[in-house]
Short mmCIF file of all heavy atoms in Angstrom, two decimals:
data_model
loop_
_atom_site.label_atom_id
_atom_site.label_comp_id
_atom_site.label_asym_id
_atom_site.label_seq_id
_atom_site.Cartn_x
_atom_site.Cartn_y
_atom_site.Cartn_z
N GLY B 115 -22.47 -16.02 9.68
CA GLY B 115 -23.31 -17.07 9.16
C GLY B 115 -24.66 -17.08 9.83
O GLY B 115 -25.33 -16.08 9.85
N ALA B 116 -25.01 -18.23 10.46
CA ALA B 116 -26.35 -18.32 11.08
C ALA B 116 -26.25 -17.98 12.58
O ALA B 116 -27.25 -17.98 13.25
CB ALA B 116 -26.86 -19.73 10.94
N GLN B 117 -25.07 -17.64 13.11
CA GLN B 117 -24.95 -17.48 14.55
C GLN B 117 -24.56 -16.06 14.94
O GLN B 117 -23.91 -15.33 14.21
CB GLN B 117 -23.85 -18.43 15.09
CG GLN B 117 -24.32 -19.84 15.09
CD GLN B 117 -23.17 -20.79 15.27
OE1 GLN B 117 -22.07 -20.37 15.74
NE2 GLN B 117 -23.31 -22.02 14.92
N GLU B 118 -24.87 -15.80 16.19
CA GLU B 118 -24.39 -14.56 16.81
C GLU B 118 -23.24 -14.85 17.72
O GLU B 118 -23.31 -15.80 18.49
CB GLU B 118 -25.55 -13.89 17.61
CG GLU B 118 -26.67 -13.41 16.76
CD GLU B 118 -27.12 -12.01 17.23
OE1 GLU B 118 -27.20 -11.82 18.46
OE2 GLU B 118 -27.42 -11.21 16.35
N ASN B 119 -22.18 -14.09 17.60
CA ASN B 119 -21.01 -14.37 18.40
C ASN B 119 -20.45 -13.10 19.04
O ASN B 119 -20.62 -12.01 18.45
CB ASN B 119 -19.85 -14.94 17.56
CG ASN B 119 -20.19 -16.27 16.92
OD1 ASN B 119 -21.25 -16.43 16.31
ND2 ASN B 119 -19.34 -17.25 17.11
N ASN B 120 -19.80 -13.26 20.14
CA ASN B 120 -19.03 -12.16 20.70
C ASN B 120 -17.64 -12.24 20.13
O ASN B 120 -16.94 -13.22 20.36
CB ASN B 120 -19.01 -12.19 22.24
CG ASN B 120 -20.29 -11.72 22.82
OD1 ASN B 120 -20.85 -10.68 22.32
ND2 ASN B 120 -20.82 -12.39 23.80
N ILE B 121 -17.25 -11.29 19.34
CA ILE B 121 -15.95 -11.33 18.71
C ILE B 121 -15.17 -10.06 19.02
O ILE B 121 -15.71 -9.10 19.59
CB ILE B 121 -16.05 -11.55 17.19
CG1 ILE B 121 -16.77 -10.37 16.48
CG2 ILE B 121 -16.79 -12.89 16.90
CD1 ILE B 121 -16.72 -10.46 14.99
N LEU B 122 -13.91 -10.08 18.58
CA LEU B 122 -13.02 -8.96 18.91
C LEU B 122 -12.91 -8.02 17.72
O LEU B 122 -12.64 -8.42 16.62
CB LEU B 122 -11.60 -9.42 19.28
CG LEU B 122 -11.56 -10.53 20.31
CD1 LEU B 122 -10.08 -10.88 20.59
CD2 LEU B 122 -12.24 -10.10 21.62
N GLN B 123 -13.22 -6.77 17.98
CA GLN B 123 -12.97 -5.74 16.92
C GLN B 123 -11.62 -5.07 17.28
O GLN B 123 -11.51 -4.41 18.29
CB GLN B 123 -14.14 -4.67 16.96
CG GLN B 123 -13.99 -3.69 15.85
CD GLN B 123 -15.20 -2.73 15.82
OE1 GLN B 123 -15.91 -2.56 16.84
NE2 GLN B 123 -15.44 -2.10 14.69
N VAL B 124 -10.68 -5.37 16.48
CA VAL B 124 -9.28 -4.97 16.76
C VAL B 124 -8.93 -3.69 15.99
O VAL B 124 -8.95 -3.66 14.76
CB VAL B 124 -8.30 -6.06 16.38
CG1 VAL B 124 -6.89 -5.68 16.73
CG2 VAL B 124 -8.67 -7.37 17.05
N PHE B 125 -8.65 -2.61 16.72
CA PHE B 125 -8.33 -1.33 16.09
C PHE B 125 -6.80 -1.16 15.98
O PHE B 125 -6.08 -1.54 16.88
CB PHE B 125 -8.93 -0.18 16.89
CG PHE B 125 -10.40 -0.15 16.85
CD1 PHE B 125 -11.16 -0.81 17.79
CD2 PHE B 125 -11.06 0.57 15.84
CE1 PHE B 125 -12.55 -0.78 17.75
CE2 PHE B 125 -12.45 0.62 15.79
CZ PHE B 125 -13.21 -0.08 16.73
N ALA B 126 -6.40 -0.56 14.85
CA ALA B 126 -4.98 -0.31 14.68
C ALA B 126 -4.73 1.21 14.56
O ALA B 126 -5.69 1.98 14.40
CB ALA B 126 -4.45 -1.02 13.40
N ASN B 127 -3.48 1.57 14.58
CA ASN B 127 -3.12 3.01 14.45
C ASN B 127 -3.09 3.45 13.01
O ASN B 127 -3.20 4.60 12.67
CB ASN B 127 -1.80 3.27 15.13
CG ASN B 127 -1.94 3.15 16.63
OD1 ASN B 127 -2.83 3.76 17.23
ND2 ASN B 127 -1.03 2.41 17.24
N ASN B 128 -2.87 2.46 12.13
CA ASN B 128 -2.62 2.78 10.75
C ASN B 128 -3.29 1.68 9.91
O ASN B 128 -3.12 0.52 10.17
CB ASN B 128 -1.09 2.80 10.54
CG ASN B 128 -0.74 3.30 9.17
OD1 ASN B 128 -1.42 3.02 8.18
ND2 ASN B 128 0.34 4.05 9.12
N PRO B 129 -3.99 2.05 8.84
CA PRO B 129 -4.62 1.02 8.02
C PRO B 129 -3.65 0.00 7.50
O PRO B 129 -4.03 -1.18 7.35
CB PRO B 129 -5.15 1.86 6.82
CG PRO B 129 -5.42 3.23 7.36
CD PRO B 129 -4.30 3.44 8.41
N SER B 130 -2.41 0.39 7.24
CA SER B 130 -1.46 -0.57 6.72
C SER B 130 -0.98 -1.58 7.79
O SER B 130 -0.39 -2.56 7.44
CB SER B 130 -0.24 0.15 6.14
OG SER B 130 0.43 0.84 7.14
N ASP B 131 -1.31 -1.33 9.06
CA ASP B 131 -1.00 -2.27 10.12
C ASP B 131 -1.98 -3.45 10.14
O ASP B 131 -1.67 -4.50 10.68
CB ASP B 131 -1.05 -1.57 11.50
CG ASP B 131 0.16 -0.67 11.73
OD1 ASP B 131 1.12 -0.81 10.94
OD2 ASP B 131 0.14 0.11 12.69
N ILE B 132 -3.17 -3.23 9.56
CA ILE B 132 -4.22 -4.29 9.67
C ILE B 132 -3.78 -5.64 9.11
O ILE B 132 -3.81 -6.62 9.81
CB ILE B 132 -5.55 -3.77 9.01
CG1 ILE B 132 -6.09 -2.54 9.69
CG2 ILE B 132 -6.56 -4.92 8.93
CD1 ILE B 132 -6.82 -2.83 10.97
N PRO B 133 -3.31 -5.66 7.88
CA PRO B 133 -2.88 -6.96 7.32
C PRO B 133 -1.70 -7.53 8.07
O PRO B 133 -1.59 -8.71 8.20
CB PRO B 133 -2.54 -6.69 5.86
CG PRO B 133 -2.40 -5.19 5.78
CD PRO B 133 -3.23 -4.60 6.84
N LYS B 134 -0.86 -6.64 8.62
CA LYS B 134 0.33 -7.13 9.36
C LYS B 134 -0.12 -7.78 10.66
O LYS B 134 0.32 -8.89 10.97
CB LYS B 134 1.27 -5.98 9.70
CG LYS B 134 1.92 -5.35 8.48
CD LYS B 134 2.80 -4.13 8.84
CE LYS B 134 3.25 -3.37 7.65
NZ LYS B 134 3.82 -2.09 8.02
N ILE B 135 -0.97 -7.18 11.37
CA ILE B 135 -1.51 -7.75 12.66
C ILE B 135 -2.19 -9.08 12.36
O ILE B 135 -2.01 -10.09 13.02
CB ILE B 135 -2.44 -6.79 13.39
CG1 ILE B 135 -1.71 -5.50 13.74
CG2 ILE B 135 -3.02 -7.46 14.63
CD1 ILE B 135 -2.61 -4.38 14.31
N LYS B 136 -3.04 -9.02 11.26
CA LYS B 136 -3.73 -10.26 10.89
C LYS B 136 -2.74 -11.39 10.63
O LYS B 136 -2.96 -12.52 11.14
CB LYS B 136 -4.57 -9.97 9.63
CG LYS B 136 -5.42 -11.08 9.12
CD LYS B 136 -4.84 -11.89 8.00
CE LYS B 136 -4.46 -11.13 6.78
NZ LYS B 136 -3.97 -12.06 5.66
N ASP B 137 -1.67 -11.13 9.91
CA ASP B 137 -0.73 -12.17 9.60
C ASP B 137 0.00 -12.69 10.82
O ASP B 137 0.31 -13.89 10.91
CB ASP B 137 0.30 -11.70 8.59
CG ASP B 137 -0.26 -11.70 7.17
OD1 ASP B 137 -1.23 -12.50 6.98
OD2 ASP B 137 0.18 -10.96 6.28
#
Side-chain angles (χ1 to χ4, degrees):
Chain B
Q117 287 167 18
E118 292 224 320
N119 296 52
N120 282 317
I121 63 172
L122 310 182
Q123 186 176 21
V124 182
F125 291 90
N127 290 310
N128 188 323
S130 64
D131 286 347
I132 298 280
K134 294 177 189 167
I135 299 172
K136 183 261 305 183
D137 280 337

